[in-house]
Amino acid sequence: YVMTLEDAQGKELEQKRISRTIASVERLKPGQYKVRVKAVDAYQRSSLTGEAKAIEVPFVSDIRAPKIKNMQ
């Protein structure tokens, strides 16, 4: 597969090859993004690009800091 990350205006930010149907993108700044995926076979023939999936990275995270016990 080839995954393409775009900003809200459609500008390509990153493109990477992935071998599984699960992928992650790190270090995104808060805002709106789109992800597109296309399949690539063993002969490097690619499919049509799929519909864009909207992703939002929030400005505030609801993840709490971990509690550390027995710190010396």
Side-chain angles (χ1 to χ4, degrees):
Y1 299 97
V2 174
M3 181 184 75
T4 305
L5 176 69
E6 302 172 348
D7 65 9
Q9 290 75 35
K11 178 183 173 189
E12 185 178 307
L13 301 175
E14 181 180 351
Q15 187 176 76
K16 65 180 179 179
R17 288 179 123 359
I18 52 176
S19 59
R20 299 173 45 193
T21 56
I22 297 173
S24 63
V25 181
E26 298 174 351
R27 300 180 186 230
L28 292 177
K29 293 182 180 179
Q32 301 287 327
Y33 297 91
K34 296 177 189 172
V35 175
R36 297 179 187 272
V37 177
K38 65 180 175 181
V40 179
D41 70 8
Y43 299 103
Q44 303 306 307
R45 297 177 296 191
S46 60
S47 68
L48 297 175
T49 303
E51 266 188 60
K53 174 74 175 172
I55 296 175
E56 179 181 358
V57 177
F59 286 91
V60 178
S61 174
D62 59 352
I63 299 173
R64 290 193 256 165
K67 293 182 181 178
I68 301 174
K69 295 182 180 181
N70 302 327
M71 190 169 179
Q72 296 178 351

